Amino acid sequence: MRTILCLSFITCVLSATELRVNRGILPNGMIDDRRLLSELNLHAKQLRDAKDSVKAADLRKQLNRKQCQLTLQMSGDKKLNTAEIAERSRKGVLVVSGLYKCQNCPNWHSGAASGFMLTEDGAFCTSYHVVDNAKNDTLVIMTGDGRVAPVVEVLAADKRTDLAILRANGKGFTPLPVTLNPLDSPIGGKVRVFSHPNRHFYVLSEGIISRKYLDSTRKEGSRRMISITADFAKGSSGAPVFNEYGAVIASVNNTQSTYYDVKKDGTKDNLQMVFKNTVSLEHLRTLIKAK
């Protein structure tokens, strides 16, 4: 009986206390990737066991929601250097993590994708395909300062553009400024990406906008895309792309590799170029109702 009472007390504490990743985030911006993922996995399991999270299957059923009402944070008119953008935006850059039961061992594991906070009360943006993942049991987010919170609702989503707005439980989050104006993302303009490629957390890269194009390859319909030269890789889906004013102009989406040779058996050889493609936040306008 005594053990049961202790476990019950722990569950109550977990429900009432804010969970944080501490040991994986070190002073001066240093990250211990392995420890961070371990802590994130532990907290995701605690939220699941305390029933503070929503089943990912229920979130997937909400992906048919078309619009929501939000007030977005607008950017300033001062150009920022890379260090300033990193310092101002880090808390609002998210790890979006799916907790799933391993098929090869009895343990639970956590994946890692990217996203960014839109409002103080927990609305955030990531890629549609990050949510539409049947293997996930629950979803959580982690902010740039280590705060962990469960994802509790899909507010609006669009498979065509591969964008989704969700809500994490909590208040006092750090929203990032966004722009829906295509004139704020000119070809040749400098950009920065803050993402988590292949579980390397909070990687900052910079480059330029190399191209804008209409992607007509998806069966759901066309979408406006922005190709950039800033680096990203798997695990970066949904990450913010910043312009020189520190406003998010796009969401990281995919890479396309160009090879010189394709053999008869389909083997590709002589990699020449990798296109890094992002979804223009012009499309976020269709997910947000005008007030």
Side-chain angles (χ1 to χ4, degrees), residues 87-233:
E87 183 179 0
R88 294 188 185 197
S89 66
R90 183 175 178 128
K91 285 185 181 181
V93 177
L94 308 176
V95 177
V96 183
S97 180
L99 180 71
Y100 62 94
K101 189 69 177 287
C102 184
Q103 307 253 326
N104 301 314
C105 75
N107 298 325
W108 289 88
H109 300 297
S110 291
S114 305
F116 54 96
M117 193 60 70
L118 294 173
T119 68
E120 178 273 340
D121 61 353
F124 70 94
C125 184
T126 189
S127 297
Y128 182 105
H129 72 262
V130 170
V131 188
D132 191 22
N133 186 340
K135 77 176 185 179
N136 288 335
D137 183 84
T138 56
L139 283 177
V140 302
I141 63 156
M142 188 198 79
T143 63
D145 58 345
R147 181 177 175 184
V148 178
V151 178
V152 295
E153 186 179 11
V154 175
L155 300 178
D158 184 4
K159 189 173 184 178
R160 175 179 66 90
T161 60
D162 201 16
L163 292 174
I165 300 174
L166 299 94
R167 185 170 66 84
N169 193 37
K171 302 285 185 181
F173 293 105
T174 300
L176 300 184
V178 302
T179 177
L180 311 183
N181 186 351
L183 297 178
D184 291 336
S185 51
I187 292 176
K190 185 177 285 189
V191 293
R192 286 88 168 183
V193 173
F194 226 158
S195 69
H196 318 297
N198 200 25
R199 300 182 180 182
H200 294 74
F201 296 100
Y202 288 93
V203 174
L204 182 65
S205 63
E206 66 177 1
I208 62 166
I209 295 173
S210 61
R211 173 176 193 247
K212 293 183 178 184
Y213 71 100
L214 194 64
D215 177 11
S216 303
T217 63
R218 295 166 66 84
K219 64 181 181 180
E220 295 84 11
S222 61
R223 56 182 181 168
R224 293 180 179 88
M225 305 292 287
I226 300 173
S227 291
I228 63 176
T229 62
D231 273 338
F232 59 80

Side-chain angles (χ1 to χ4, degrees), residues 258-262 268-273:
T258 300
Y259 294 85
Y260 187 81
D261 296 315
V262 180
K268 297 178 180 179
D269 191 23
N270 191 7
L271 176 65
Q272 292 191 308
M273 189 173 186

